[in-house]
């Protein structure tokens, strides 16, 4: 017998109204988050309803539960907490359903003929004998088969949602699972639920493990052990390493699975036989995911091939003569090491240029650009983040773009069963070995931020003969993603490399520059507060630090530097704790952007977002559309993609449409569905890691202590060098001095240096 399978319910503790009726009109539906405004006809009354039913069609009979709310504009609405499609009970209800367009190929006239033919038996015919539709005038046998296929698909989708709801799987994830596996999902859930962790974004090992337990999978099953090992290696990449020593990998997997080592090691070795893991080396044995291992190998091969493909047109003396001509023309004076860097940039296929603040790295890059342009070369500038690219544009006078934009990222998402665009993490770059960049010289700044995935994609897009110049500060924090590309390249000694060390006279007048170098050398910083740009205020109480941070941010620094308060950035080593970014943002928001009747706000993932808030994107989203508006709200530019580290301000919050509009620093306006707010954080305070590649007029750094692996010299140096005009440190002198003396960093296990050395040998 035909039946609509019930969907999982949303519940709340308020007193609920229960209604039965049919969907007479869908007023609005957001395909991104399934938020729907629709009219329900029940016992002759029409009620406006709002909620998140995953599957809903006009004409559909349903039961729902909700509470009445009074909307300030649209009046009384029923905010639904559960929605349950149900079978039409009579011929009239069947007609409404069929004539609604829910089944493609059946309109009002054809629906009427079907009802006249089969009457109250129509739904049973559709369910059990759909081929009999061919008995109706106007429906051919092929059309009957198409209609039958739709009926079957809709029934299968609803059954899938019901089945998955038993495991506490949300509607959106259930639809992703159905789209990915189809009818195979039943077998997968029975035999190997851990495939969900590998194939479905948003379902990690822990969630898959819960589902597997409910599905009756044994704790010592091969599927579970193998999935746990692969999960450990996936998390290794998220933590920045490309491999783990075998004893450490085994220990992590055993702790995750709560199983003895001998059982886990058997499956680890089996995965290695299948080449899903790579075990290499002897002391210690290195455990790689296959993807990470072959990625390092590919980077080493591409770089070596690029370095071997270079040719030179001029002798050193001719190049030096051209450099001096440009120096005279541009009124630039280079020191010997800078001049050597420009010479190597003209003769070496791959050049690494490193140096700390005040050592003339920007001047050297500018001279390299001018040299190649004078030699009629096509020069392309790029950086890992939008803010770093913007800063590169400002310091060179030539347009720079993000590496993603340079390579032409393109989404490869598909449509789901309902014709809606399915959010998909997969994307590809249009520029690769088959469609390389049209560039003679590619200069990448802030290379310390580049991980192995992005670096490999860049190398694949360079044709033989392209010169690659990688600029960055090797003493800054490594990339958020896996690898330590810049450091591994420098340590391999496989490429031309210049490390600028001389601090120029103008830079030597800045205590920001001088203290940054003192931090690196382990020397005492100047903390006497006689400086014009570096201030230390000893405070040993978090409440006092809150108060003085607000004073600095809102009143003192904007006046002192003639800048806006929102341009000043509070940095912190940690997310959690009294002086972590989460607590600081809550305090700073309450003072700098307090609630007001005219300010919309919305709470998501334990954060209240308010119109006017400073926010930051925390994950690359290649799919989300943006627009730059000109006069009269007309879009003058548009595209897709907002990236990790992009800053913006909340322009408006629309609870009816369930969207939040953000205006980013480069005037791109983006409309976020509420379900995507997990990708946004308040940004009055951010972690030092998140500040990489950025520069601010002033930085405020509160310090009262924390984990040793975070409170180290490397992080302190990175924080201080983010400031252009002023650094203010608020906190404990002992903690500051201990941090400057702490050379311990989180260990990253990478093999790119070794792969490069192997390539050089042969």
């Amino acid at each position: 017998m035909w039946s609509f399978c019930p969907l999982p319910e949303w519940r709340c503790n308020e007193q609920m109204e229960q209604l039965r009726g049919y969907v007479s009109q869908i007023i609005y539906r957001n395909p991104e988050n399934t938020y729907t405004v629709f009219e329900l006809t029940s016992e002759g009354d029409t009620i406006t309803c709002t909620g998140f039913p995953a599957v809903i069609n006009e004409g559909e009979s349903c039961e729902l539960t909700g509470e009445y709310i009074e909307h300030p504009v649209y009046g009384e609405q029923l905010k639904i907490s559960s929605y349950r499609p149900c079978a039409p009970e009579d011929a009239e209800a069947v007609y409404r359903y069929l004539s609604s367009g829910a089944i493609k190929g059946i309109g009002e006239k054809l629906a009427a003929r079907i009802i006249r033919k089969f009457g109250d038996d129509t739904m049973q015919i559709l369910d059990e004998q759909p081929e009999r539709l061919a008995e109706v005038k106007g429906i051919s046998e092929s059309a009957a088969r198409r209609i039958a296929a739709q009926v079957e698909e809709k029934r299968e989708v609803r059954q899938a949602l019901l089945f998955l709801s038993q495991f506490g799987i949300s509607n959106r994830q259930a639809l992703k699972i159905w789209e990915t596996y189809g009818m195979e999902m039943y077998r997968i859930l029975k035999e190997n639920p851990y495939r969900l962790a590998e194939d479905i974004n948003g379902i990690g090992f822990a969630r898959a493990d819960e589902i597997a337990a409910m599905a009756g999978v044994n704790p010592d099953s091969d599927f579970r052990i193998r999935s746990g090992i692969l999960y450990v290696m996936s998390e290794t990449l998220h933590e920045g390493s490309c491999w783990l020593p075998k004893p450490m990998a085994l220990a992590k997997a055993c702790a995750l699975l709560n199983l003895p080592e001998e059982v886990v090691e058997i499956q680890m070795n089996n995965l290695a036989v299948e080449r899903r893991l790579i075990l290499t080396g002897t002391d210690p044995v290195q455990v790689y995911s296959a993807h990470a291992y072959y990625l390092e190998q590919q980077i080493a091969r591409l770089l070596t091939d690029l370095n071997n493909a270079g040719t030179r047109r001029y002798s050193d003396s001719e190049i030096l003569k051209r450099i001096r001509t440009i120096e005279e023309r541009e009124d630039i004076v280079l020191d010997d090491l800078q001049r050597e860097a420009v010479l190597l940039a003209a003769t070496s296929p791959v050049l690494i240029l490193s140096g700390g603040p005040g050592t003339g790295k920007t001047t050297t890059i500018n001279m390299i650009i001018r040299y190649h342009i004078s030699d009629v070369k096509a020069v392309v500038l790029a950086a890992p983040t939008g803010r770093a690219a913007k800063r590169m544009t400002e310091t060179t006078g030539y347009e720079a773009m993000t590496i993603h934009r340079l390579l032409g990222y393109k989404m490869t998402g598909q449509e789901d069963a309902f014709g809606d665009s399915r959010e998909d993490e997969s994307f590809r770059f249009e520029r690769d070995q088959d469609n390389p960049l049209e560039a003679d010289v590619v200069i990448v700044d802030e290379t310390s931020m580049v991980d192995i995935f992005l670096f490999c994609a860049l190398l694949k897009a360079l044709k033989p003969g392209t010169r690659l110049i990688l600029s960055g500060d090797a003493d800054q924090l490594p990339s958020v993603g896996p690898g330590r590309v810049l450091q591994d390249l420098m340590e391999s000694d496989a490429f031309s490399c210049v490390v600028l060390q001389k601090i120029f006279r103008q830079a030597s007048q800045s205590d920001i520059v001088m203290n940054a170098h003192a931090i690196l050398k382990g020397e005492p910083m100047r903390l006497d507060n006689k400086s014009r740009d570096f201030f230390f205020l000893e405070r040993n109480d978090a409440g006092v630090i809150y108060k003085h941070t607000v004073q600095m941010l809102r009143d003192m620094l904007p006046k002192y530097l003639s800048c806006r308060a929102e341009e000043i950035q509070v940095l912190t080593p940690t997310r959690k704790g009294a002086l972590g970014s989460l607590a600081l943002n809550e305090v700073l928001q309450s003072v700098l952007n307090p609630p007001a009747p005219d300010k919309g706000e919305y709470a998501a993932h334990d954060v209240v977002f308010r119109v006017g808030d400073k926010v930051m994107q925390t994950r690359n989203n290649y799919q989300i559309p943006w627009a730059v508006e000109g006069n009269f709200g007309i879009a003058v530019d548009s595209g897709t993609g907002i990236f990790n580290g992009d800053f913006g301000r909340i322009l408006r919050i629309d609870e009816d449409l369930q969207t939040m509009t953000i205006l980013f620093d480069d005037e791109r306006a983006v409309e976020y569905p509420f379900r995507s707010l997990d990708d946004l954080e308040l940004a009055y305070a951010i972690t030092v890691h998140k500040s990489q590649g950025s520069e601010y007029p002033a930085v405020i750094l509160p310090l009262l202590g924390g984990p040793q692996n975070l409170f180290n010299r490397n992080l302190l140096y990175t924080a201080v060098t983010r400031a252009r005009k002023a650094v203010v440190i608020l906190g404990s002198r002992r903690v500051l001095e201990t941090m400057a003396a702490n050379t311990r960093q989180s260990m990253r296990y990478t093999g790119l240096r070794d792969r490069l050395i192997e390539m050089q040998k042969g």
Side-chain angles (χ1 to χ4, degrees):
M1 189 68 184
W2 173 275
S3 63
F4 283 98
C5 294
L7 301 181
E9 298 185 354
W10 301 267
R11 303 184 188 278
C12 69
N13 294 324
E14 303 292 335
Q15 186 172 352
M16 296 284 107
E17 294 281 343
Q18 293 184 327
L19 297 175
R20 185 181 180 91
Y22 68 92
V23 179
S24 50
Q25 182 183 3
I26 294 178
I27 300 170
Y28 170 79
R29 174 158 44 194
N30 186 333
E32 291 293 322
N33 60 6
T34 75
Y35 176 76
T36 307
V37 181
F38 63 97
E39 289 185 347
L40 179 81
T41 298
S42 176
E43 298 181 354
D45 294 328
T46 299
I47 301 126
T48 300
C49 305
T50 65
F52 296 85
V55 184
I56 183 173
N57 294 292
E58 289 185 354
E60 190 170 77
S61 297
C62 62
E63 295 176 351
L64 52 80
T65 304
E67 63 170 320
Y68 284 104
I69 61 171
E70 187 69 26
H71 191 279
V73 176
Y74 300 110
E76 189 177 62
Q77 297 178 341
L78 187 73
K79 184 177 181 180
I80 67 171
S81 56
S82 72
Y83 179 90
R84 185 190 303 271
C86 53
E89 294 181 339
D90 52 35
E92 181 182 352
V94 173
Y95 171 75
R96 278 197 305 267
Y97 176 70
L98 293 179
S99 63
S100 69
I103 306 295
K104 291 180 181 178
I106 300 180
E108 292 182 6
K109 292 182 180 179
L110 193 53
R113 288 203 294 271
I114 293 172
I115 296 299
R116 281 198 299 271
K117 176 69 177 176
F118 299 116
D120 290 343
D121 294 331
T122 299
M123 296 313 294
Q124 183 177 354
I125 295 294
L126 284 171
D127 189 35
E128 299 176 5
Q129 298 174 289
E131 69 279 357
R132 288 192 59 193
L133 289 173
E135 299 174 16
V136 178
K137 183 180 179 181
I139 300 181
S140 65
E141 290 185 6
S142 61
R145 285 194 294 270
R146 288 196 300 271
I147 292 169
Q150 288 184 65
V151 171
E152 179 68 17
E153 181 183 13
K154 288 177 180 293
R155 183 168 61 250
E156 288 174 351
V157 171
R158 286 174 169 82
Q159 287 173 342
L161 292 175
L162 175 63
F163 176 76
L164 293 170
S165 72
Q166 301 173 69
F167 303 100
I169 297 173
S170 70
N171 288 341
R172 195 66 182 171
Q173 285 182 331
L175 290 173
K176 286 184 179 181
I177 292 169
W178 173 257
E179 256 317 292
T180 303
Y181 302 128
M183 294 297 289
E184 277 288 288
M185 75 170 203
Y186 296 101
R187 182 184 63 80
I188 290 167
L189 265 291
K190 180 180 178 182
E191 295 179 358
N192 182 15
Y194 296 97
R195 277 190 58 184
L196 298 177
E198 299 176 37
D199 300 336
I200 308 298
N201 181 52
I203 297 183
F205 177 82
R207 187 73 185 90
D209 207 25
E210 292 174 1
I211 294 168
M214 286 187 279
V217 175
N218 290 328
D220 60 351
S221 73
D222 292 352
F223 288 134
R224 180 172 185 264
I225 299 170
R226 291 155 69 92
S227 182
I229 294 168
L230 293 173
Y231 176 78
V232 165
M233 298 315 300
S234 173
E235 286 299 290
T236 295
L237 290 175
H238 287 304
E239 293 164 3
S241 290
C242 298
W243 59 272
L244 287 178
K246 189 176 181 182
M248 183 183 295
L250 279 171
K252 284 176 174 280
C254 291
L256 177 71
L257 298 164
N258 194 26
L259 290 172
E261 183 176 302
E262 57 270 20
V263 175
V264 175
E265 187 171 14
I266 290 171
Q267 294 304 326
M268 182 174 285
N269 292 334
N270 288 341
L271 287 168
V273 170
E274 297 171 15
R275 306 298 285 177
R276 298 187 71 184
L277 293 181
I278 305 296
L279 305 186
T280 186
T282 55
D283 188 23
V285 173
Q286 300 172 2
V287 182
Y288 275 92
S289 65
H291 182 47
Y293 180 79
Y294 292 122
L295 203 61
E296 284 190 343
Q297 277 202 329
Q298 189 174 23
I299 290 172
R301 179 181 56 77
L302 289 168
L303 267 177
T304 301
D305 290 348
L306 191 68
N307 204 39
N308 292 337
T311 59
R312 55 187 298 166
R313 295 171 56 187
Y314 309 108
S315 66
D316 286 3
S317 60
E318 290 175 307
I319 294 170
L320 288 169
K321 183 178 179 181
R322 291 165 67 93
I323 292 171
R324 292 190 183 279
T325 299
I326 298 171
E327 285 185 75
E328 292 174 6
R329 186 178 70 232
E330 302 284 346
D331 193 24
I332 298 174
V333 179
L334 302 178
D335 70 5
D336 291 341
L337 202 53
Q338 289 176 304
R339 200 170 290 114
E340 180 187 349
V342 182
L343 172 64
L344 288 171
T347 58
S348 302
V350 179
L351 170 67
I352 300 166
L353 176 66
S354 186
T359 57
K361 190 153 49 76
T362 298
T363 300
T364 306
I365 291 174
N366 282 332
M367 181 59 76
I368 290 171
I369 294 169
R370 283 157 175 75
Y371 174 86
H372 285 296
I373 288 176
S374 73
D375 197 26
V376 199
K377 300 290 187 184
V379 180
V380 170
L381 310 183
T385 67
R387 292 181 74 87
K390 182 178 180 181
R391 189 155 64 96
M392 195 179 188
T393 299
E394 293 168 351
T395 57
T396 64
Y398 294 90
E399 183 185 5
M401 62 184 75
T402 63
I403 299 174
H404 285 89
R405 184 180 167 198
L406 175 67
L407 299 181
Y409 63 89
K410 187 176 180 66
M411 293 304 303
T412 58
Q414 304 171 6
E415 287 190 341
D416 64 21
F418 305 97
D420 293 330
S421 189
R422 179 166 61 94
E423 184 180 357
D424 196 316
E425 290 299 312
S426 61
F427 69 97
R428 65 178 178 84
F429 290 115
E430 293 182 327
R431 295 291 188 175
D432 55 20
Q433 56 268 40
D434 298 321
N435 182 28
L437 292 167
E438 296 299 326
D440 300 309
V441 181
V442 174
I443 303 175
V444 179
D445 199 14
E446 298 288 357
T447 309
S448 64
M449 297 176 63
V450 178
D451 63 29
I452 57 172
F453 298 119
L454 189 56
F455 193 53
C456 188
L458 174 65
L459 293 176
K460 286 194 286 189
L462 301 182
K463 58 190 177 184
T466 303
R467 295 196 186 283
L468 177 63
I469 296 156
L470 303 171
S471 172
D473 187 346
D475 292 310
Q476 287 190 26
L477 295 171
S479 59
V480 174
R484 44 175 216 140
V485 169
L486 183 62
Q487 293 91 331
D488 277 355
L489 264 57
M490 293 175 69
E491 291 176 11
S492 72
D493 291 327
F495 310 102
S496 298
C497 181
V498 175
V499 180
L500 301 175
Q501 295 177 326
K502 177 183 175 182
I503 301 175
F504 286 85
R505 184 176 61 84
Q506 185 176 357
S508 68
Q509 298 172 2
S510 165
D511 284 320
I512 295 176
V513 171
M514 300 310 293
N515 277 340
H517 285 276
I519 291 168
L520 282 183
K521 295 174 183 176
E523 298 173 354
M525 290 174 281
R526 181 182 175 187
L527 300 175
D528 57 10
N529 287 337
K530 295 179 180 178
S531 169
R532 293 179 301 171
D533 62 4
F534 200 102
F535 308 96
F536 172 69
L537 305 178
E538 185 161 15
R539 305 289 186 268
N540 292 292
D541 178 83
V544 174
I545 291 176
Y546 291 156
K547 176 183 176 182
H548 290 168
T549 298
V550 169
Q551 290 175 341
M552 287 286 172
L553 188 58
R554 185 177 60 186
D555 304 320
M556 301 176 72
L557 285 174
K559 293 177 183 177
Y560 181 66
L561 301 174
S562 299
C563 68
R564 292 175 291 121
E566 52 262 34
E567 295 179 274
I568 299 165
Q569 189 60 56
V570 178
L571 300 181
T572 174
T574 63
R575 277 178 54 80
K576 298 180 179 179
L579 294 182
S581 61
L582 297 177
L584 283 166
N585 272 315
E586 191 173 341
V587 170
L588 295 173
Q589 181 197 46
S590 69
V591 177
L592 301 174
N593 189 32
D598 60 340
K599 289 182 184 177
E601 58 181 50
Y602 183 79
H605 57 85
D606 298 323
V607 175
V608 175
F609 292 100
R610 187 172 296 132
V611 170
D613 276 338
K614 181 179 179 181
V615 294
M616 180 179 65
Q617 176 79 8
T618 61
R619 182 181 68 90
N620 290 343
N621 186 330
Y622 305 98
Q623 183 174 344
I624 196 164
W626 54 262
V628 177
E629 294 184 354
N631 293 331
F632 310 109
I634 299 173
V636 296
D637 192 13
S638 62
T640 59
I642 296 294
F643 300 103
N644 187 4
D646 286 351
F647 282 82
R649 288 227 165 244
I650 299 176
L651 282 183
R652 55 186 169 270
I653 295 173
D654 192 323
E655 289 210 40
D656 296 320
L657 299 181
Q658 300 280 290
T659 59
M660 180 184 295
T661 303
I662 312 293
L663 184 66
F664 284 89
D665 285 351
D666 48 10
E667 301 302 315
R668 292 177 298 167
V670 178
E671 193 173 86
Y672 282 77
F674 279 175
R675 71 169 182 83
S676 295
L677 297 185
D678 284 351
D679 298 344
L680 287 173
E681 289 183 354
L682 294 177
Y684 299 102
I686 64 172
T687 64
V688 177
H689 276 87
K690 289 291 186 183
S691 74
Q692 290 181 89
S694 299
E695 189 177 72
Y696 313 96
V699 160
I700 300 172
L701 182 65
L703 297 174
L704 271 185
Q708 248 197 326
N709 63 331
L710 283 178
F711 278 65
N712 59 40
R713 178 182 297 177
N714 192 227
L715 187 138
L716 179 61
Y717 171 78
T718 301
V720 166
T721 54
R722 298 306 89 208
R724 190 165 58 247
K725 296 180 180 178
V727 169
V728 178
I729 299 176
L730 292 157
S732 161
R733 182 181 293 271
R734 180 187 59 80
V735 168
L736 176 61
E737 291 174 347
T738 301
M739 191 175 182
N742 179 15
T743 57
R744 175 185 172 186
Q745 296 181 42
S746 296
M747 181 67 181
R748 283 202 173 196
Y749 297 99
T750 66
L752 180 56
R753 183 197 66 173
D754 296 336
R755 304 288 89 79
L756 286 165
I757 292 172
E758 290 166 5
M759 287 282 180
Q760 299 307 305
K761 293 178 179 178

